[in-house]
């Protein structure tokens, strides 16, 4: 029983850490999309007017998020298995 509780807490900690580490990538994805879609040369920061930089932000952010999803799927499966 205690090992199940320890496993649940360690899985929750791992999920939380991955989600916290992907938060900057998600923000960068939003900024990149803002720079590509919404801005017509009038961004709140001059670097967001550069389309190449915004595309770079989008690509890097998507790669980080894909890696996070790949790491999160087994953790969610393990969490679901322990819940039963």
């Amino acid at each position: 029983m205690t090992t199940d509780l320890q496993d649940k807490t360690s899985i929750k900690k791992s999920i939380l850490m991955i989600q916290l580490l992907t938060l900057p990538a998600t923000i960068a994805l939003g900024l990149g999309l803002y720079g590509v879609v919404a801005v017509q040369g009038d961004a709140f920061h001059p670097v967001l007017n550069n389309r190449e930089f915004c595309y770079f932000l989008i690509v890097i952010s998507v790669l980080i998020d894909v890696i996070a999803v790949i790491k999160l799927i087994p953790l969610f499966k393990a969490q679901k298995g322990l819940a039963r």
Side-chain angles (χ1 to χ4, degrees):
M1 185 70 180
T2 59
T3 58
D4 288 341
L5 185 61
Q6 290 173 347
D7 289 342
K8 285 181 184 179
T9 57
S10 67
I11 289 171
K12 284 184 181 181
K13 274 187 177 180
S14 299
I15 290 172
L16 181 65
M17 287 301 296
I18 292 172
Q19 289 175 340
L20 288 175
L21 290 173
T22 59
L23 181 66
T26 306
I27 292 170
L29 178 64
L31 288 173
L33 290 173
Y34 169 76
V36 170
V37 176
V39 176
Q40 303 297 329
D42 189 28
F44 65 89
H45 195 282
V47 76
L48 294 175
N49 291 327
N50 185 352
R51 281 205 181 274
E52 290 84 18
F53 180 75
C54 291
Y55 287 134
F56 174 75
L57 277 179
I58 291 170
V59 168
I60 295 299
S61 301
V62 167
L63 286 175
I64 291 171
D65 285 340
V66 165
I67 292 170
V69 167
I70 290 170
K71 291 186 179 235
L72 282 172
I73 288 173
L75 290 173
F76 285 139
K77 286 183 180 179
Q79 187 179 27
K80 185 178 179 182
L82 286 175
R84 292 183 180 179

